[in-house]
Amino acid sequence: MLTPSVALSSNMREKYPSITCLSEQLHRIVNGDSNIQKLDDQWRTIVLVRLPSEILTEKEPDKFWTLIKELETGQFIDLAEFALAVLCLPHSNASCERVFSKINCIKTKSRNRLITSTVSATVITSECLKKNNGNCISFQPTKLMFDSMSYTSLYPSSVNNKTVIDINEEEENYFH
């Protein structure tokens, strides 16, 4: 329904005369009945308006709705924002399940004390490596990466505990 060919086709209006059915199903994206009516008005009008050729020739839905959103007139901004929000919705939960499986492999019984930021960084690193040839052999860390690998950044709670112990020892020496 949100593909450019359907949104701009007057022939497809028989099949999709209104966007109300979709917007009512996604009530968290649309706030209130007045916004549903505004979306529907824009949906019905977009076929009647003369659009620039770069928009008419665009085939990718996300690029199409971004171009519609950036129109100088701004007359379809609500519809474009709605369409882009709908296009961002995941089609399944498979990617989430993959991440949970990866976390279960990282945070095992023997590694149960890993803090959330460490687990998160490990998952993100794994995903980045997968995008770059899928291995760590050819990976080249940046200077910023090396600089962030310090004792205080990797073990902040240990540093804080050591400070407390040092202070307690100083107090003990003071009183004795």
Side-chain angles (χ1 to χ4, degrees), residues 2 5 11 19 33 43 59 70 88 92 94 101 113-114 119 140 158-159 163-164:
L2 296 174
S5 59
N11 296 334
I19 202 164
D33 292 335
W43 175 256
K59 302 290 184 220
E70 294 171 351
C88 288
S92 72
S101 295
R113 292 183 155 241
L114 288 175
V119 174
Q140 292 294 318
S158 298
V159 172
T163 306
V164 171

Side-chain angles (χ1 to χ4, degrees), residues 3-119:
T3 60
S5 59
V6 172
L8 297 176
S9 171
S10 55
N11 296 334
M12 293 301 289
R13 290 309 158 129
E14 292 175 17
K15 188 173 182 180
Y16 303 109
S18 175
I19 202 164
T20 306
C21 57
L22 180 61
S23 59
E24 286 175 344
Q25 295 295 317
L26 302 166
H27 61 301
R28 289 186 178 176
I29 296 175
V30 182
N31 298 323
D33 292 335
S34 62
N35 285 343
I36 291 175
Q37 185 60 51
K38 192 186 302 183
L39 287 174
D40 197 46
D41 292 344
Q42 291 178 15
W43 175 256
R44 292 171 190 265
T45 310
I46 197 166
V47 188
L48 306 172
V49 175
R50 182 177 216 140
L51 297 170
S53 62
E54 68 176 291
I55 294 175
L56 296 173
T57 57
E58 184 57 57
K59 302 290 184 220
E60 296 293 323
D62 55 338
K63 293 177 184 174
F64 170 77
W65 289 109
T66 302
L67 291 171
I68 293 289
K69 183 179 175 183
E70 294 171 351
L71 278 174
E72 288 180 16
T73 59
Q75 66 191 77
F76 301 112
I77 193 160
D78 298 313
L79 178 61
E81 286 176 352
F82 172 75
L84 289 169
V86 170
L87 292 172
C88 288
L89 295 174
H91 299 284
S92 72
N93 62 350
S95 60
C96 299
E97 295 296 333
R98 282 189 209 102
V99 172
F100 289 137
S101 295
K102 192 173 281 192
I103 289 171
N104 285 334
C105 292
I106 293 169
K107 195 161 182 169
T108 61
K109 279 186 172 182
S110 61
R111 299 177 77 193
N112 68 349
R113 292 183 155 241
L114 288 175
I115 59 176
T116 306
S117 59
T118 304
V119 174

